Amino acid sequence: MKLSIIGAGYVGLVTGASFAELGHDVTIMDIDDEKIRKLEKGIIPIHEPGLDRLIDKNSDRISFTTNMEQVVREADIHFICVWTPPLEDGSADLTAVRSVARELGKNFKKLKAKNQIVVTKSTVPVGTGKKIRALIRQTYKNEFSVVSNPEFLRESQAVADMMRPDRIIIGSNDNIAAQKVAEIYKDVKAPIIITDLATAEMIKYAANAFLATKISFINEVANVCDLVGADVEQVAEGIGSDKRIGKSFLKAGMGYGGSCFPKDVRALHQFSNDSGYDFKLLKSVIEVNEQQRNLIIDKLNKHLKIMNGKNILVLGLAFKAYTDDVRESVAIDVINRLQKEGANISAYDPLALINAQKHLGEDVIFVGKAYDGAQGADAIVIATEWPNFKDLDWPSIKDLMRKPLIIDGRNLLDPNEMRRMKFTYEGVGRG
Ligand SMILES: NC(=O)c1ccc[n+]([C@@H]2O[C@H](COP(=O)([O-])OP(=O)(O)OC[C@H]3O[C@@H](n4cnc5c(N)ncnc54)[C@H](O)[C@@H]3O)[C@@H](O)[C@H]2O)c1
């Protein structure tokens, strides 16, 4: 089939490459000239394991462009994969989605296109599909269909998630269009759930909000564990072994970040409100998530007394391990807060240093090795759950530090082992 992908970010590139792998011809479009030029030269602008190989392997089926007319000329099913960042009030900014809809409409009309299907993969509030239809209709009067096919990929394992998803959601008020989109995935072994447009849009938000709720729930359990002397890691293991609960998303720590959970939880809360429903549970999920990062700063304050002039090494800048993505990373927020209190920050991340530099002031010292940042440090904060931090030579790090304090915001290290090495160690909810 001839498909287009509009928006060459994490979702767009992985979707495009995976569709090509499934044998489809794919035109990938973005307004970012530089990005498209790089992609044409085989340079992949994001870190996503397996993506470069997939694009290279299928290069004869993938083309890149900045031109929407070419998109409409070359494809008849168009996947909108542009960003939908949060606005000040928490609602999703649909400027890019609207602009794509208008451009599609103009070019459908200009090229007298027929049998067009517009699919949203971007995460968009319920009702957006209808708005896209109305916007295209303003210029293009022929029949076309709108489908919602929300994306559930996880950065750092996005290729695997696209090729082997738990389920595929396809929502449309036009059953023939939904079946056509389902046909794209015919070689993917996953259940396909077909719904109406609004339901598919809602499924994406409900899924992310539920996972975020699990995280905030275990974080609250952790905070009680700290007070009563229980270990949240074992509590999580104990409750997660119950199949009805499941082990995933029960990791206590500094809270969730990234480009999806924070914005999607706030957006669901916002559009529930706009629809006349006060989603009380989500309000608490958001509050608890905020509270967790304050808690890390409180733990530091408790030990250091005065933050001003203290040297703190932050290990991990990405919003999670195995990615270079720092969007809404809790680490970045915590660094900003510590700097406001006068702390001197050095920071290390195996992948995200370059992206983090764009978000943090010049005052942060970025180090190429954890050991360099440990020199003279009064504390280390573990902010991302990179497993290789476990393998650092901790006794040598201790010798380099001025004060052997570790605040483990991701419960990555073994508290007993760290205390045996004579570190002052605090995790989250470790009793
Ligand atoms: N990143 C994830 O893990 C993930 C997972 C599931 C769903 N989503 C959702 O998918 C959408 C895209 O997320 P992402 O992480 O890929 O974003 P991204 O920021 O990585 O990429 C978005 C791309 O859209 C392009 N763009 C913006 N306006 C455009 C326009 N008018 N025309 C063409 N291109 C345009 C940008 O230049 C950018 O390359 C968002 O709605 C997000 O919530 C993301």
Side-chain angles (χ1 to χ4, degrees):
M1 293 166 102
K2 294 191 182 311
L3 313 174
S4 86
I5 299 289
I6 303 164
Y10 285 87
V11 168
L13 286 176
V14 175
T15 306
S18 305
F19 284 168
E21 174 76 2
L22 291 170
H24 306 295
D25 292 317
V26 183
T27 305
I28 300 181
M29 184 269 177
D30 202 290
I31 43 165
D32 184 338
D33 259 335
E34 197 188 327
K35 195 179 250 188
I36 292 298
R37 267 203 307 272
K38 276 190 183 162
L39 284 162
E40 279 170 335
K41 287 186 199 146
I43 303 165
I44 311 301
I46 53 169
H47 173 85
E48 195 54 55
L51 179 62
D52 45 358
R53 195 193 57 84
L54 209 62
I55 291 184
D56 185 48
K57 181 176 166 218
N58 295 291
S59 57
D60 54 337
R61 278 196 287 273
I62 303 176
S63 61
F64 298 100
T65 183
T66 52
N67 184 331
M68 192 64 98
E69 187 175 327
Q70 184 183 336
V71 163
V72 177
R73 218 180 273 287
E74 291 181 356
D76 37 34
I77 304 185
H78 310 282
F79 286 82
I80 302 182
C81 302
V82 298
W83 51 43
T84 51
L87 288 167
E88 199 64 37
D89 66 356
S91 60
D93 182 352
L94 297 176
T95 310
V97 172
R98 280 195 295 267
S99 152
V100 169
R102 280 193 211 95
E103 284 299 305
L104 281 174
K106 264 195 260 168
N107 285 288
F108 288 172
K109 181 178 176 197
K110 184 172 175 191
L111 299 175
K112 298 190 174 61
K114 285 198 182 110
N115 305 321
Q116 300 292 301
I117 301 179
V118 178
V119 190
T120 47
K121 244 195 193 302
S122 295
T123 304
V124 290
V126 178
T128 305
K130 265 192 185 170
K131 286 184 192 149
I132 290 174
R133 160 168 284 286
L135 278 170
I136 296 176
R137 265 261 169 276
Q138 284 176 5
T139 43
Y140 180 68
K141 306 295 178 198
N142 291 348
E143 267 321 301
F144 64 96
S145 305
V146 178
V147 175
S148 164
N149 172 215
E151 184 47 60
F152 299 94
L153 62 77
R154 291 162 294 177
E155 284 177 25
S156 80
Q157 48 200 90
V159 171
D161 284 347
M162 259 306 285
M163 299 307 290
R164 292 182 294 280
D166 289 340
R167 75 319 204 174
I168 295 160
I169 305 293
I170 299 172
S172 183
N173 300 339
D174 172 349
N175 195 41
I176 295 172
Q179 295 299 341
K180 259 200 186 157
V181 173
E183 184 68 16
I184 297 170
Y185 293 98
K186 73 176 185 338
D187 293 328
V188 177
K189 283 195 183 69
I192 295 183
I193 300 172
I194 296 197
T195 69
D196 60 48
L197 199 50
T199 304
E201 290 170 338
M202 187 67 182
I203 286 171
K204 172 66 192 176
Y205 281 100
N208 274 2
F210 185 74
L211 295 174
T213 302
K214 270 186 106 176
I215 296 172
S216 280
F217 175 81
I218 200 67
N219 278 335
E220 291 235 88
V221 171
N223 298 340
V224 180
C225 284
D226 261 340
L227 296 173
V228 300
D231 182 349
V232 73
E233 290 294 305
Q234 290 183 346
V235 173
E237 169 85 20
I239 63 172
S241 301
D242 183 331
K243 285 197 196 71
R244 294 170 303 173
I245 296 173
K247 289 190 180 171
S248 57
F249 291 85
L250 286 181
K251 189 82 188 155
M254 291 161 69
Y256 58 79
S259 68
C260 290
F261 281 10
K263 95 173 160 62
D264 293 350
V265 175
R266 286 172 68 209
L268 175 54
H269 184 252
Q270 182 63 30
F271 74 74
S272 304
N273 241 331
D274 293 347
S275 317
Y277 186 75
D278 179 17
F279 205 144
K280 297 186 196 73
L281 183 58
L282 284 192
K283 227 186 291 176
S284 301
V285 169
I286 296 165
E287 249 174 61
V288 171
N289 201 51
E290 284 295 312
Q291 162 192 289
Q292 288 312 105
R293 46 192 85 180
N294 296 337
L295 202 123
I296 294 301
I297 293 170
D298 291 349
K299 282 179 193 267
L300 275 170
N301 268 319
K302 184 178 91 187
H303 291 278
L304 298 178
K305 311 286 186 249
I306 300 163
M307 204 72 86
N308 194 23
K310 295 288 173 8
N311 301 327
I312 298 172
L313 166 63
V314 176
L315 287 182
L317 295 162
F319 84 93
K320 67 172 185 178
Y322 299 109
T323 180
D324 62 349
D325 193 348
V326 298
R327 290 178 288 179
E328 298 241 14
S329 167
V330 182
I332 304 282
D333 187 30
V334 165
I335 289 174
N336 285 330
R337 292 184 196 200
L338 291 175
Q339 283 189 310
K340 271 199 194 119
E341 293 194 29
N344 308 314
I345 306 292
S346 55
Y348 169 71
D349 189 287
L351 270 183
L353 282 179
I354 292 172
N355 282 344
Q357 275 165 2
K358 295 175 202 154
H359 288 77
L360 289 165
E362 282 171 9
D363 294 344
V364 175
I365 300 169
F366 296 97
V367 291
K369 283 193 200 119
Y371 304 96
D372 298 339
Q375 188 79 48
D378 295 291
I380 291 179
V381 175
I382 300 186
T384 309
E385 64 283 16
W386 278 101
N388 46 343
F389 292 160
K390 279 189 214 164
D391 305 328
L392 290 170
D393 179 354
W394 286 102
S396 302
I397 287 186
K398 183 173 161 284
D399 290 343
L400 291 169
M401 293 175 77
R402 193 154 67 181
K403 207 167 186 273
L405 171 63
I406 297 181
I407 305 296
D408 185 353
R410 297 297 174 191
N411 285 351
L412 189 76
L413 304 174
D414 179 341
N416 294 329
E417 211 178 302
M418 299 320 285
R419 286 177 193 134
R420 245 195 322 274
M421 289 182 213
K422 302 274 183 276
F423 276 102
T424 306
Y425 173 92
E426 280 217 39
V428 180
R430 313 296 308 260

